[in-house]
Amino acid sequence: MNGIFQLLEKYLMGPMAKIAAFKSVRAIMAAGIASITFTIVGSLFLVFNVLPTTFTFLQDFFNDTFFRISDLYLLVYKASMGILAIYFVIVISYEYTKIHQQEDELNVSPLNGALLAVFAFFLCVPELLFVDGKMQLLAASKTLNGWTIGGNGPDRLGTVGIFTAIIMALLSVKIYCFCVKRNFVIKMPEAVPEGVARSFTALIPAFAVALVVLVINGTFVLLGTDIFKVIAIPFAFVTDIANSWLGLMVILFLIHALWIVGIHGASLIMAFVKPILLINLQANINGEVVPYAGEFNNSFVLLGGSGATLGLTLFIAFLARSQQLRILGKASVAPGIFNINEPIIFGLPIVYNPYLAIPFFFAPMVSASLAYWAIKLEWINPIIAYIPWPSPAGIGAFIGTAGDWRASILALLCAVVAWLIYLPFIRMYDNKLYKEEQVAVQA
């Protein structure tokens, strides 16, 4: 096991720690966290609206009451998931500029960085065609002046546009910082108000952003495509891999391989995966069946926290022979119910613990496999709502699937299966600690 830990440290911990330190990665992580509030609020209104689909006896009541004003309250959903790419482009660019400002000591404004990124993003949204030697805005049945409209508004402002939002945010901030570094800015006298001076400082960078984005997008239009479609190609490939069962296993392996050597694997890996989960969530809302969507992990897999430790926590709290495990378990039950298990990971510990490393990897993989195939085979409804990640076992799955009671049963089954995987290993570890305590008492 020591050899395995050394391999993980050398080939996984080192490279991943370097990736986590990248300015761009930290900015993307911040966007994922910032979007949680809006996705949860919007999803709850959507779940409320589809309740009669699950509980059919509510249909007539909803027809006579809530459905009369559904166009009003569903605006909450459309103003969250419907324009999610805008939230991403604002937060990523703001945080990315702020990081450059603080760490590179550049005289840049996070507000200017965010505005420039929104500017760059919207330059890419309308669709163009090159016909008869002329560029013109697309005008199809659902497209007006280049703006393709879906059920929630302009399609490209929603989850479809997340990857383009990420690229445009990073590109525009890089151009902004380059201009400031090279002094390609208009400097105003100190007597000029700060807001006015800030606007003029961003003037040349704005021209530069516009020129770069127009040249790139114009080139793609000449080739019969555009930035959105080009960016979608590699990200669609990555999305397809992540959506496979094997891809899901790789993601969970990376999360727990980082945890086992002391790095918060969930925060790092999920920063890259979250945009994919949001896109899949929207696909399920549109009628598709994609297992790995929304809070799949916290609904079915990571019950009790990373490693699926809910059953483990309950076992050591009430059935452990070792006094130290029992005390730790009782202190960890309450946070464990809400999927918080840092006390277990670092207090048991699981980190660098050869007794518990194997079940720490396998318990979430088995749970994820059960849930993945249950959704894939349509034994339960797919996830269509984003839930708060601390939702207790069964409750999160119930809400996320819009009230499917079978999902709650599956979540509890996953927790039991994970506990059974831990059982022989924790018993062995418990007996070891118990014997050590008895030796200490006798001494």
Side-chain angles (χ1 to χ4, degrees):
M1 289 304 295
N2 285 335
I4 293 173
F5 290 142
Q6 289 173 4
L7 286 174
L8 291 175
E9 283 183 341
K10 183 177 180 180
Y11 295 107
L12 188 64
M13 181 180 177
M16 283 297 183
K18 291 179 181 178
I19 291 173
F22 289 168
K23 296 180 178 71
S24 55
V25 173
R26 286 147 58 196
I28 294 171
M29 289 172 67
I33 294 170
S35 67
I36 289 174
T37 300
F38 303 100
T39 52
I40 290 175
V41 172
S43 294
L44 291 178
F45 277 86
L46 178 65
V47 168
F48 176 76
N49 199 62
V50 300
L51 279 179
T53 305
T54 304
F55 304 105
T56 54
F57 63 89
L58 294 174
Q59 187 68 52
D60 292 337
F61 174 72
F62 269 62
N63 286 338
D64 295 335
T65 55
F66 296 112
F67 285 165
R68 294 179 181 271
I69 57 169
S70 61
D71 284 347
L72 173 65
Y73 63 74
L74 281 180
L75 289 176
V76 178
Y77 169 75
K78 294 178 180 180
S80 52
M81 292 292 291
I83 58 170
L84 197 59
I86 297 178
Y87 295 113
F88 265 77
V89 76
I90 291 173
V91 178
I92 292 173
S93 54
Y94 184 92
E95 291 293 332
Y96 197 36
T97 309
K98 187 177 178 181
I99 292 170
H100 278 290
Q101 179 192 54
Q102 294 174 347
E103 298 181 10
D104 298 340
E105 297 183 353
L106 282 178
N107 187 24
V108 291
S109 164
L111 178 59
N112 277 349
L115 293 174
L116 288 170
V118 172
F119 174 54
F121 176 68
F122 273 94
L123 286 175
C124 306
V125 174
E127 297 180 57
L128 289 160
L129 290 175
F130 188 69
V131 182
D132 299 329
K134 178 184 177 182
M135 286 193 185
Q136 58 189 40
L137 292 166
L138 179 64
S141 58
K142 287 188 177 181
T143 306
L144 180 64
N145 292 332
W147 297 77
T148 300
I149 308 299
N152 301 316
D155 274 350
R156 291 185 164 187
L157 301 186
T159 53
V160 173
I162 287 179
F163 293 128
T164 303
I166 292 172
I167 299 300
M168 288 298 108
L170 299 178
L171 175 64
S172 58
V173 172
K174 276 296 184 186
I175 294 172
Y176 179 32
C177 291
F178 174 82
C179 290
V180 172
K181 271 186 181 179
R182 303 286 179 171
N183 280 322
F184 298 152
V185 292
I186 299 174
K187 294 184 178 180
M188 303 296 289
E190 292 184 4
V192 175
E194 182 182 352
V196 177
R198 186 169 56 231
S199 298
F200 276 91
T201 302
L203 191 58
I204 293 177
F207 272 109
V209 168
L211 184 62
V212 170
V213 175
L214 288 178
V215 168
I216 294 173
N217 202 32
T219 303
F220 285 137
V221 171
L222 289 173
L223 296 173
T225 182
D226 63 16
I227 289 179
F228 261 84
K229 296 170 185 174
V230 170
I231 290 176
I233 294 171
F235 283 110
F237 175 72
V238 173
T239 300
D240 289 341
I241 294 175
N243 289 345
S244 67
W245 173 81
L246 183 59
L248 176 57
M249 294 300 103
V250 171
I251 290 169
L252 290 171
F253 173 81
L254 291 175
I255 289 173
H256 293 86
L258 289 169
W259 263 125
I260 209 72
V261 290
I263 293 180
H264 199 305
S267 293
L268 178 56
I269 301 300
M270 295 311 294
F272 300 98
V273 178
K274 186 175 287 290
I276 296 173
L277 296 179
L278 291 171
I279 291 170
N280 292 346
L281 185 69
Q282 185 62 54
N284 286 342
I285 292 169
N286 294 338
E288 296 184 35
V289 179
V290 184
Y292 198 37
E295 280 290 351
F296 174 89
N297 285 348
N298 290 311
S299 295
F300 299 106
V301 185
L302 307 182
L303 300 174
S306 293
T309 58
L310 181 59
L312 171 68
T313 304
L314 293 172
F315 175 84
I316 65 173
F318 303 108
L319 298 174
R321 300 174 68 196
S322 166
Q323 189 68 16
Q324 71 179 75
L325 287 188
R326 186 168 291 195
I327 292 172
L328 175 66
K330 288 180 178 177
S332 304
V333 167
I337 290 173
F338 297 98
N339 301 331
I340 300 168
N341 69 340
E342 278 78 359
I344 291 291
I345 289 178
F346 295 106
L348 195 56
I350 291 175
V351 173
Y352 289 107
N353 189 335
Y355 286 88
L356 299 174
I358 293 175
F360 188 70
F361 279 103
F362 279 100
M365 288 183 174
V366 173
S367 297
S369 299
L370 290 174
Y372 179 92
W373 291 110
I375 296 174
K376 189 77 173 177
L377 299 173
E378 300 187 32
W379 293 346
I380 65 170
N381 293 338
I383 295 174
I384 67 163
Y386 208 91
I387 60 162
W389 64 265
S391 301
I395 296 176
F398 181 79
I399 297 173
T401 55
D404 188 347
W405 62 269
R406 297 168 300 177
S408 297
I409 301 300
L410 176 62
L412 296 175
L413 176 62
C414 288
V416 171
V417 169
W419 170 67
L420 291 174
I421 293 172
Y422 273 106
L423 190 56
F425 297 91
I426 189 59
R427 275 184 170 167
M428 183 168 54
Y429 186 53
D430 180 36
N431 288 334
K432 170 185 175 292
L433 295 180
Y434 178 74
K435 289 176 183 177
E436 290 176 356
E437 289 174 357
Q438 294 305 304
V439 170
V441 170
Q442 291 172 5

PDB file of all heavy atoms in Angstrom, residues 124-149:
ATOM      1  N   CYS A 124     -20.342  36.475 -30.123  1.00  0.00           N
ATOM      2  CA  CYS A 124     -20.368  35.123 -30.689  1.00  0.00           C
ATOM      3  C   CYS A 124     -21.765  34.525 -30.762  1.00  0.00           C
ATOM      4  O   CYS A 124     -21.961  33.500 -31.419  1.00  0.00           O
ATOM      5  CB  CYS A 124     -19.503  34.188 -29.841  1.00  0.00           C
ATOM      6  SG  CYS A 124     -17.824  34.738 -29.592  1.00  0.00           S
ATOM      7  N   VAL A 125     -22.721  35.120 -30.072  1.00  0.00           N
ATOM      8  CA  VAL A 125     -24.030  34.469 -29.921  1.00  0.00           C
ATOM      9  C   VAL A 125     -24.842  34.437 -31.210  1.00  0.00           C
ATOM     10  O   VAL A 125     -25.332  33.375 -31.605  1.00  0.00           O
ATOM     11  CB  VAL A 125     -24.835  35.127 -28.777  1.00  0.00           C
ATOM     12  CG1 VAL A 125     -26.248  34.551 -28.716  1.00  0.00           C
ATOM     13  CG2 VAL A 125     -24.128  34.920 -27.442  1.00  0.00           C
ATOM     14  N   PRO A 126     -25.032  35.569 -31.920  1.00  0.00           N
ATOM     15  CA  PRO A 126     -25.831  35.504 -33.158  1.00  0.00           C
ATOM     16  C   PRO A 126     -25.173  34.611 -34.203  1.00  0.00           C
ATOM     17  O   PRO A 126     -23.948  34.567 -34.329  1.00  0.00           O
ATOM     18  CB  PRO A 126     -25.863  36.970 -33.626  1.00  0.00           C
ATOM     19  CG  PRO A 126     -25.609  37.769 -32.393  1.00  0.00           C
ATOM     20  CD  PRO A 126     -24.648  36.950 -31.586  1.00  0.00           C
ATOM     21  N   GLU A 127     -25.991  33.898 -34.962  1.00  0.00           N
ATOM     22  CA  GLU A 127     -25.495  32.975 -35.982  1.00  0.00           C
ATOM     23  C   GLU A 127     -25.413  33.670 -37.339  1.00  0.00           C
ATOM     24  O   GLU A 127     -26.337  34.370 -37.754  1.00  0.00           O
ATOM     25  CB  GLU A 127     -26.409  31.755 -36.068  1.00  0.00           C
ATOM     26  CG  GLU A 127     -26.446  30.942 -34.780  1.00  0.00           C
ATOM     27  CD  GLU A 127     -27.348  29.731 -34.883  1.00  0.00           C
ATOM     28  OE1 GLU A 127     -27.111  28.900 -35.784  1.00  0.00           O
ATOM     29  OE2 GLU A 127     -28.273  29.621 -34.076  1.00  0.00           O
ATOM     30  N   LEU A 128     -24.289  33.456 -38.026  1.00  0.00           N
ATOM     31  CA  LEU A 128     -24.033  34.074 -39.326  1.00  0.00           C
ATOM     32  C   LEU A 128     -23.832  33.014 -40.394  1.00  0.00           C
ATOM     33  O   LEU A 128     -23.386  31.890 -40.108  1.00  0.00           O
ATOM     34  CB  LEU A 128     -22.778  34.947 -39.252  1.00  0.00           C
ATOM     35  CG  LEU A 128     -22.879  36.252 -38.450  1.00  0.00           C
ATOM     36  CD1 LEU A 128     -21.487  36.733 -38.071  1.00  0.00           C
ATOM     37  CD2 LEU A 128     -23.606  37.314 -39.244  1.00  0.00           C
ATOM     38  N   LEU A 129     -24.143  33.372 -41.632  1.00  0.00           N
ATOM     39  CA  LEU A 129     -23.880  32.523 -42.787  1.00  0.00           C
ATOM     40  C   LEU A 129     -23.109  33.327 -43.827  1.00  0.00           C
ATOM     41  O   LEU A 129     -23.237  34.558 -43.894  1.00  0.00           O
ATOM     42  CB  LEU A 129     -25.189  32.024 -43.404  1.00  0.00           C
ATOM     43  CG  LEU A 129     -26.011  31.005 -42.607  1.00  0.00           C
ATOM     44  CD1 LEU A 129     -27.318  30.734 -43.347  1.00  0.00           C
ATOM     45  CD2 LEU A 129     -25.243  29.715 -42.407  1.00  0.00           C
ATOM     46  N   PHE A 130     -22.307  32.642 -44.634  1.00  0.00           N
ATOM     47  CA  PHE A 130     -21.612  33.299 -45.750  1.00  0.00           C
ATOM     48  C   PHE A 130     -22.253  32.794 -47.035  1.00  0.00           C
ATOM     49  O   PHE A 130     -22.044  31.655 -47.454  1.00  0.00           O
ATOM     50  CB  PHE A 130     -20.120  32.976 -45.705  1.00  0.00           C
ATOM     51  CG  PHE A 130     -19.318  33.763 -46.692  1.00  0.00           C
ATOM     52  CD1 PHE A 130     -19.146  35.138 -46.539  1.00  0.00           C
ATOM     53  CD2 PHE A 130     -18.746  33.139 -47.794  1.00  0.00           C
ATOM     54  CE1 PHE A 130     -18.407  35.868 -47.457  1.00  0.00           C
ATOM     55  CE2 PHE A 130     -18.003  33.866 -48.720  1.00  0.00           C
ATOM     56  CZ  PHE A 130     -17.825  35.232 -48.551  1.00  0.00           C
ATOM     57  N   VAL A 131     -23.096  33.640 -47.643  1.00  0.00           N
ATOM     58  CA  VAL A 131     -23.884  33.243 -48.810  1.00  0.00           C
ATOM     59  C   VAL A 131     -23.657  34.255 -49.936  1.00  0.00           C
ATOM     60  O   VAL A 131     -23.770  35.478 -49.720  1.00  0.00           O
ATOM     61  CB  VAL A 131     -25.388  33.179 -48.472  1.00  0.00           C
ATOM     62  CG1 VAL A 131     -26.183  32.726 -49.692  1.00  0.00           C
ATOM     63  CG2 VAL A 131     -25.628  32.233 -47.305  1.00  0.00           C
ATOM     64  N   ASP A 132     -23.329  33.733 -51.120  1.00  0.00           N
ATOM     65  CA  ASP A 132     -23.147  34.590 -52.308  1.00  0.00           C
ATOM     66  C   ASP A 132     -22.146  35.710 -52.051  1.00  0.00           C
ATOM     67  O   ASP A 132     -22.369  36.881 -52.434  1.00  0.00           O
ATOM     68  CB  ASP A 132     -24.494  35.178 -52.758  1.00  0.00           C
ATOM     69  CG  ASP A 132     -25.489  34.102 -53.155  1.00  0.00           C
ATOM     70  OD1 ASP A 132     -25.036  33.046 -53.648  1.00  0.00           O
ATOM     71  OD2 ASP A 132     -26.707  34.307 -52.946  1.00  0.00           O
ATOM     72  N   GLY A 133     -21.063  35.356 -51.373  1.00  0.00           N
ATOM     73  CA  GLY A 133     -20.008  36.330 -51.135  1.00  0.00           C
ATOM     74  C   GLY A 133     -20.342  37.376 -50.098  1.00  0.00           C
ATOM     75  O   GLY A 133     -19.664  38.408 -49.996  1.00  0.00           O
ATOM     76  N   LYS A 134     -21.383  37.112 -49.289  1.00  0.00           N
ATOM     77  CA  LYS A 134     -21.808  38.105 -48.287  1.00  0.00           C
ATOM     78  C   LYS A 134     -22.129  37.414 -46.976  1.00  0.00           C
ATOM     79  O   LYS A 134     -22.759  36.359 -46.947  1.00  0.00           O
ATOM     80  CB  LYS A 134     -23.054  38.834 -48.806  1.00  0.00           C
ATOM     81  CG  LYS A 134     -23.620  39.853 -47.835  1.00  0.00           C
ATOM     82  CD  LYS A 134     -24.895  40.463 -48.383  1.00  0.00           C
ATOM     83  CE  LYS A 134     -25.520  41.431 -47.392  1.00  0.00           C
ATOM     84  NZ  LYS A 134     -26.800  41.990 -47.904  1.00  0.00           N
ATOM     85  N   MET A 135     -21.679  38.023 -45.875  1.00  0.00           N
ATOM     86  CA  MET A 135     -22.047  37.522 -44.552  1.00  0.00           C
ATOM     87  C   MET A 135     -23.395  38.095 -44.153  1.00  0.00           C
ATOM     88  O   MET A 135     -23.625  39.305 -44.251  1.00  0.00           O
ATOM     89  CB  MET A 135     -20.997  37.925 -43.503  1.00  0.00           C
ATOM     90  CG  MET A 135     -19.712  37.137 -43.587  1.00  0.00           C
ATOM     91  SD  MET A 135     -18.671  37.374 -42.138  1.00  0.00           S
ATOM     92  CE  MET A 135     -17.216  36.447 -42.619  1.00  0.00           C
ATOM     93  N   GLN A 136     -24.274  37.212 -43.708  1.00  0.00           N
ATOM     94  CA  GLN A 136     -25.592  37.676 -43.298  1.00  0.00           C
ATOM     95  C   GLN A 136     -26.096  36.857 -42.115  1.00  0.00           C
ATOM     96  O   GLN A 136     -25.734  35.697 -41.939  1.00  0.00           O
ATOM     97  CB  GLN A 136     -26.580  37.584 -44.465  1.00  0.00           C
ATOM     98  CG  GLN A 136     -26.726  36.184 -45.038  1.00  0.00           C
ATOM     99  CD  GLN A 136     -27.544  36.168 -46.320  1.00  0.00           C
ATOM    100  OE1 GLN A 136     -27.403  37.050 -47.159  1.00  0.00           O
ATOM    101  NE2 GLN A 136     -28.405  35.177 -46.456  1.00  0.00           N
ATOM    102  N   LEU A 137     -26.920  37.492 -41.291  1.00  0.00           N
ATOM    103  CA  LEU A 137     -27.470  36.842 -40.116  1.00  0.00           C
ATOM    104  C   LEU A 137     -28.459  35.762 -40.523  1.00  0.00           C
ATOM    105  O   LEU A 137     -29.249  35.949 -41.453  1.00  0.00           O
ATOM    106  CB  LEU A 137     -28.149  37.872 -39.216  1.00  0.00           C
ATOM    107  CG  LEU A 137     -27.210  38.880 -38.537  1.00  0.00           C
ATOM    108  CD1 LEU A 137     -28.004  40.048 -37.963  1.00  0.00           C
ATOM    109  CD2 LEU A 137     -26.409  38.210 -37.437  1.00  0.00           C
ATOM    110  N   LEU A 138     -28.409  34.650 -39.817  1.00  0.00           N
ATOM    111  CA  LEU A 138     -29.293  33.522 -40.104  1.00  0.00           C
ATOM    112  C   LEU A 138     -30.734  33.901 -39.777  1.00  0.00           C
ATOM    113  O   LEU A 138     -31.009  34.551 -38.770  1.00  0.00           O
ATOM    114  CB  LEU A 138     -28.868  32.309 -39.265  1.00  0.00           C
ATOM    115  CG  LEU A 138     -29.687  31.030 -39.409  1.00  0.00           C
ATOM    116  CD1 LEU A 138     -29.581  30.481 -40.821  1.00  0.00           C
ATOM    117  CD2 LEU A 138     -29.194  29.993 -38.399  1.00  0.00           C
ATOM    118  N   ALA A 139     -31.657  33.482 -40.648  1.00  0.00           N
ATOM    119  CA  ALA A 139     -33.075  33.764 -40.417  1.00  0.00           C
ATOM    120  C   ALA A 139     -33.866  32.500 -40.724  1.00  0.00           C
ATOM    121  O   ALA A 139     -34.368  32.316 -41.829  1.00  0.00           O
ATOM    122  CB  ALA A 139     -33.552  34.918 -41.292  1.00  0.00           C
ATOM    123  N   ALA A 140     -33.950  31.595 -39.759  1.00  0.00           N
ATOM    124  CA  ALA A 140     -34.711  30.353 -39.909  1.00  0.00           C
ATOM    125  C   ALA A 140     -36.014  30.473 -39.130  1.00  0.00           C
ATOM    126  O   ALA A 140     -36.348  31.536 -38.595  1.00  0.00           O
ATOM    127  CB  ALA A 140     -33.878  29.172 -39.409  1.00  0.00           C
ATOM    128  N   SER A 141     -36.748  29.350 -39.034  1.00  0.00           N
ATOM    129  CA  SER A 141     -38.061  29.393 -38.397  1.00  0.00           C
ATOM    130  C   SER A 141     -37.988  29.808 -36.931  1.00  0.00           C
ATOM    131  O   SER A 141     -38.876  30.468 -36.419  1.00  0.00           O
ATOM    132  CB  SER A 141     -38.740  28.025 -38.507  1.00  0.00           C
ATOM    133  OG  SER A 141     -37.925  27.023 -37.911  1.00  0.00           O
ATOM    134  N   LYS A 142     -36.906  29.410 -36.242  1.00  0.00           N
ATOM    135  CA  LYS A 142     -36.744  29.780 -34.842  1.00  0.00           C
ATOM    136  C   LYS A 142     -35.599  30.771 -34.647  1.00  0.00           C
ATOM    137  O   LYS A 142     -35.136  30.984 -33.547  1.00  0.00           O
ATOM    138  CB  LYS A 142     -36.477  28.535 -33.992  1.00  0.00           C
ATOM    139  CG  LYS A 142     -37.695  27.645 -33.797  1.00  0.00           C
ATOM    140  CD  LYS A 142     -37.385  26.552 -32.782  1.00  0.00           C
ATOM    141  CE  LYS A 142     -38.632  25.703 -32.521  1.00  0.00           C
ATOM    142  NZ  LYS A 142     -38.363  24.644 -31.513  1.00  0.00           N
ATOM    143  N   THR A 143     -35.160  31.372 -35.748  1.00  0.00           N
ATOM    144  CA  THR A 143     -34.037  32.296 -35.670  1.00  0.00           C
ATOM    145  C   THR A 143     -34.446  33.638 -36.246  1.00  0.00           C
ATOM    146  O   THR A 143     -34.934  33.728 -37.366  1.00  0.00           O
ATOM    147  CB  THR A 143     -32.821  31.748 -36.447  1.00  0.00           C
ATOM    148  OG1 THR A 143     -32.521  30.437 -35.984  1.00  0.00           O
ATOM    149  CG2 THR A 143     -31.612  32.640 -36.259  1.00  0.00           C
ATOM    150  N   LEU A 144     -34.254  34.684 -35.448  1.00  0.00           N
ATOM    151  CA  LEU A 144     -34.588  36.034 -35.868  1.00  0.00           C
ATOM    152  C   LEU A 144     -33.350  36.900 -35.737  1.00  0.00           C
ATOM    153  O   LEU A 144     -32.795  37.047 -34.642  1.00  0.00           O
ATOM    154  CB  LEU A 144     -35.720  36.603 -34.999  1.00  0.00           C
ATOM    155  CG  LEU A 144     -36.184  38.027 -35.321  1.00  0.00           C
ATOM    156  CD1 LEU A 144     -36.782  38.078 -36.726  1.00  0.00           C
ATOM    157  CD2 LEU A 144     -37.199  38.509 -34.298  1.00  0.00           C
ATOM    158  N   ASN A 145     -32.898  37.450 -36.871  1.00  0.00           N
ATOM    159  CA  ASN A 145     -31.684  38.279 -36.873  1.00  0.00           C
ATOM    160  C   ASN A 145     -30.507  37.565 -36.209  1.00  0.00           C
ATOM    161  O   ASN A 145     -29.737  38.166 -35.462  1.00  0.00           O
ATOM    162  CB  ASN A 145     -31.937  39.622 -36.176  1.00  0.00           C
ATOM    163  CG  ASN A 145     -32.881  40.507 -36.970  1.00  0.00           C
ATOM    164  OD1 ASN A 145     -32.950  40.408 -38.198  1.00  0.00           O
ATOM    165  ND2 ASN A 145     -33.617  41.359 -36.288  1.00  0.00           N
ATOM    166  N   GLY A 146     -30.377  36.258 -36.485  1.00  0.00           N
ATOM    167  CA  GLY A 146     -29.245  35.504 -35.979  1.00  0.00           C
ATOM    168  C   GLY A 146     -29.432  34.914 -34.601  1.00  0.00           C
ATOM    169  O   GLY A 146     -28.602  34.133 -34.140  1.00  0.00           O
ATOM    170  N   TRP A 147     -30.527  35.264 -33.904  1.00  0.00           N
ATOM    171  CA  TRP A 147     -30.756  34.787 -32.534  1.00  0.00           C
ATOM    172  C   TRP A 147     -31.725  33.610 -32.570  1.00  0.00           C
ATOM    173  O   TRP A 147     -32.903  33.770 -32.885  1.00  0.00           O
ATOM    174  CB  TRP A 147     -31.340  35.896 -31.659  1.00  0.00           C
ATOM    175  CG  TRP A 147     -30.414  37.060 -31.493  1.00  0.00           C
ATOM    176  CD1 TRP A 147     -30.173  38.045 -32.416  1.00  0.00           C
ATOM    177  CD2 TRP A 147     -29.605  37.367 -30.366  1.00  0.00           C
ATOM    178  NE1 TRP A 147     -29.262  38.934 -31.925  1.00  0.00           N
ATOM    179  CE2 TRP A 147     -28.885  38.548 -30.665  1.00  0.00           C
ATOM    180  CE3 TRP A 147     -29.408  36.743 -29.133  1.00  0.00           C
ATOM    181  CZ2 TRP A 147     -27.992  39.117 -29.778  1.00  0.00           C
ATOM    182  CZ3 TRP A 147     -28.522  37.322 -28.245  1.00  0.00           C
ATOM    183  CH2 TRP A 147     -27.820  38.482 -28.562  1.00  0.00           C
ATOM    184  N   THR A 148     -31.208  32.433 -32.287  1.00  0.00           N
ATOM    185  CA  THR A 148     -32.040  31.233 -32.250  1.00  0.00           C
ATOM    186  C   THR A 148     -32.757  31.168 -30.907  1.00  0.00           C
ATOM    187  O   THR A 148     -32.120  31.204 -29.855  1.00  0.00           O
ATOM    188  CB  THR A 148     -31.192  29.967 -32.453  1.00  0.00           C
ATOM    189  OG1 THR A 148     -30.542  30.051 -33.726  1.00  0.00           O
ATOM    190  CG2 THR A 148     -32.062  28.710 -32.414  1.00  0.00           C
ATOM    191  N   ILE A 149     -34.066  31.048 -30.957  1.00  0.00           N
ATOM    192  CA  ILE A 149     -34.884  31.109 -29.748  1.00  0.00           C
ATOM    193  C   ILE A 149     -35.393  29.720 -29.393  1.00  0.00           C
ATOM    194  O   ILE A 149     -35.912  28.992 -30.228  1.00  0.00           O
ATOM    195  CB  ILE A 149     -36.098  32.058 -29.932  1.00  0.00           C
ATOM    196  CG1 ILE A 149     -35.617  33.428 -30.442  1.00  0.00           C
ATOM    197  CG2 ILE A 149     -36.863  32.188 -28.629  1.00  0.00           C
ATOM    198  CD1 ILE A 149     -34.676  34.142 -29.502  1.00  0.00           C
TER     199      ILE A 149
END
